[in-house]
Amino acid sequence: MTLQNDLLLRVARGEKVERPPVWLMRQAGRFLSEYREVRAKAGSFKNLIAHPEMAAEVTIQPVDLIGVDAAIIFSDILVLPEAIGLNYEMIEKKGPFFPETVRTLSDLDRLHPIEDASNLDDTLEAIRIVKRELNGRVPLIGFAGAPWTIFCYMTEGQGSKTFSVARSRLYQDPEFSHTLMSMITESTIHYLKQQIAAGADIIQVFDSWAGVLGRDLYEVYAIPYLEQICDAITDVPVIVFSKGAFHSIDLIGQLDCQVIGLDWLIEPQAVPMLAPGKAFQGNLDPAALYADFELIEAQTLHMLDQFPPGRHIANLGHGIYPDLPREAVQLFVNTVKNFTYGPYELQEEDDLYQEGGLQFGEA
C-alpha cells in the first residue's frame, strides 16, 4: 500500500523532504479526553492493551485529532518480559511492578522463548487493525524496549531512581547479566519481526534507562545487544532512543540504525559530527509546552533550526506529560507542520555530505 504521507520514512531513508515530520512519544495518552474515555471503558491500562480494537482506536486518535505524521501502536515495553515468563502489574499512579524478579542464573530457568500463542498476539492484532483503518494515511511505528531497560525491570522489579539492583548485577554477576541480556535480545528481535510482518513501517527501540549507566558499562552491556537488534531488523528503518546516553552518542552512531532519538538535555549541534550519516529525532523539553503560546512557538522553531535540514523528525525529548494542555500540544504540531525547508537548504546539506564522503541513506 502506497502511503499518502511518508515524510517520516523519507527522512529515515535519507530522502529529501519539504518539512520535518512530527509525532510525539506517548501521543496516545491522558492529555486527550478521547483516550481517557476509552481507558475508562477498558478498566485498566493492561486491559486496554489486551483488547486490540481499543488499542487500535487510541493508536489512531492522535492522527485524527491533532494531525501527527505517524501513529505508534498502543502497547507497553513490558509485554515482552511477560511473554517470556515474568508477569507484571501496572499499579495506578505508581507504575509497573513485578511480583517476581530474576537475579541469578537459576532464576532464568523460569523463563522461556516466546510461544506461538502469547500476550503479544493482542498487540500484533492491534497493528493489523490499525493498518487497515489508517488505509495508508501515515506510517505506523512499532516498538520494543531496549535489552538494558527490560533487564532493569526484570531484575529490579519496579521503577527506580537509581536501578541499583540492576546495576549491581553487572558488577557482581557478569555471566548472569550477559545471559539475561542475550535472552531478552533474542526475544526482542523475534517480537519486532512479528510487528513488521503485521504491518509496522518503522521500529523504535526505547532505552529509557540508558542514563543510569556510565559510558564504560553502556558499551559492554547495552551497545552489543542494540547492535544485534539493529543488524537483525533490515526490512524497515530503526530509531534508537537512548534517554540520557549523551556520553555514548558516538557509539550509538555506529549502530546500523537510521535514526537516533535525542532527549532534551542533548545539544543538537554537536550530534551530527558524532553520528555522521544519521537522521535525528527530538528533542523539545516536554515542560516547554507548559509555557505561553508565543514561547512554545519560539521554542519549537528554535529546535527546528538546530537540526540539519531534511535529517530531522520533530518530537519531544521524552513522552508527553499527562496534564499538558491539549492546545499546547496542538500548537507544537502545527508549528512544525507550517515549517518548510527551502531548496537551497537541502542542496547545501547534500553538498556537505558529499564532501564528507557520505550520502543520505548510506548504511
Side-chain angles (χ1 to χ4, degrees):
M1 180 185 297
T2 301
L3 286 169
Q4 299 164 37
N5 175 351
D6 63 350
L7 283 171
L8 179 74
L9 301 183
R10 283 158 58 195
V11 170
R13 294 191 299 249
E15 299 169 3
K16 284 190 171 71
V17 290
E18 56 273 21
R19 66 166 175 87
V22 57
W23 70 279
L24 305 112
M25 290 179 279
R26 294 184 189 157
Q27 65 187 17
R30 285 178 288 171
F31 81 101
L32 291 173
S33 59
E34 292 85 351
Y35 166 85
R36 295 195 298 270
E37 291 172 6
V38 179
R39 168 69 169 73
K41 291 179 188 175
S44 71
F45 176 82
K46 286 190 71 176
N47 208 32
L48 179 50
I49 294 173
H51 284 77
E53 297 82 4
M54 289 184 174
E57 182 179 355
V58 297
T59 296
I60 296 171
Q61 282 176 349
V63 178
D64 292 337
L65 299 174
I66 59 174
V68 290
D69 292 311
I72 181 167
I73 194 64
F74 186 83
S75 186
D76 191 84
I77 63 171
L78 299 182
V79 297
L80 183 84
E82 191 162 68
I84 61 175
L86 206 63
N87 296 330
Y88 77 102
E89 302 168 1
M90 188 62 73
I91 300 175
E92 194 69 25
K93 297 183 180 179
K94 289 188 177 181
F97 174 72
F98 285 80
E100 296 182 338
T101 59
V102 288
R103 297 180 181 177
T104 67
L105 279 171
S106 61
D107 289 339
L108 300 185
D109 293 338
R110 292 188 274 123
L111 305 181
H112 55 74
I114 294 173
E115 298 169 344
D116 291 339
S118 75
N119 62 311
L120 302 180
D121 292 343
D122 297 324
T123 295
L124 299 176
E125 178 59 18
I127 289 174
R128 288 187 281 266
I129 295 171
V130 169
K131 286 293 289 187
R132 183 174 68 245
E133 295 298 322
L134 281 176
N135 196 29
R137 284 188 289 158
V138 296
L140 175 61
I141 304 167
F143 72 90
W148 162 244
T149 289
I150 300 300
F151 179 102
C152 283
Y153 284 110
M154 293 179 72
T155 55
E156 197 91 21
Q158 58 190 342
S160 167
K161 292 181 179 180
T162 63
F163 283 101
S164 57
V165 172
R167 287 162 47 225
S168 73
R169 294 291 80 205
L170 308 184
Y171 289 104
Q172 294 178 343
D173 199 340
E175 183 182 3
F176 160 81
S177 299
H178 282 297
T179 302
L180 178 55
M181 293 287 285
S182 294
M183 293 175 71
I184 295 169
T185 301
E186 182 179 345
S187 298
T188 300
I189 290 169
H190 179 75
Y191 179 38
L192 290 175
K193 287 185 174 183
Q194 285 184 313
Q195 291 188 42
I196 295 165
D201 299 294
I202 185 169
I203 292 297
Q204 175 151 316
V205 180
F206 287 88
D207 209 352
S208 305
W209 300 115
V212 302
L213 292 182
R215 179 184 172 94
D216 289 348
L217 286 179
Y218 201 73
E219 186 171 12
V220 173
Y221 287 103
I223 290 294
Y225 302 102
L226 287 170
E227 182 177 27
Q228 290 179 39
I229 293 171
C230 291
D231 289 348
I233 304 302
T234 58
D235 294 335
V236 302
V238 176
I239 306 166
V240 173
F241 175 55
S242 296
K243 184 177 180 294
F246 56 87
H247 49 61
S248 298
I249 293 297
D250 59 324
L251 300 177
I252 298 167
Q254 296 172 31
L255 299 173
D256 193 15
C257 64
Q258 288 67 47
V259 184
I260 298 175
L262 305 176
D263 63 56
W264 72 93
L265 299 177
I266 296 178
E267 291 297 326
Q269 297 94 327
V271 174
M273 293 182 290
L274 296 172
K278 304 293 186 186
F280 305 99
Q281 179 175 277
N283 70 332
L284 187 73
D285 182 352
L289 298 187
Y290 290 116
D292 62 64
F293 281 13
E294 184 177 352
L295 184 54
I296 291 172
E297 185 175 15
Q299 289 287 309
T300 302
L301 291 173
H302 176 71
M303 173 195 69
L304 296 173
D305 286 336
Q306 302 306 300
F307 287 94
R311 298 176 57 217
H312 181 216
I313 297 164
N315 207 316
L316 303 179
H318 198 225
I320 296 176
Y321 301 146
D323 62 343
L324 279 170
R326 178 171 176 164
E327 297 78 10
V329 178
Q330 186 68 71
L331 176 60
F332 171 76
V333 171
N334 290 349
T335 301
V336 176
K337 293 177 76 171
N338 289 330
F339 183 90
T340 57
Y341 296 125
Y344 174 76
E345 288 180 294
L346 292 173
Q347 181 60 47
E348 185 181 58
E349 186 65 19
D350 280 349
D351 292 343
L352 176 66
Y353 266 70
Q354 288 166 6
E355 289 171 6
L358 292 165
Q359 302 292 330
F360 279 138
E362 198 175 75

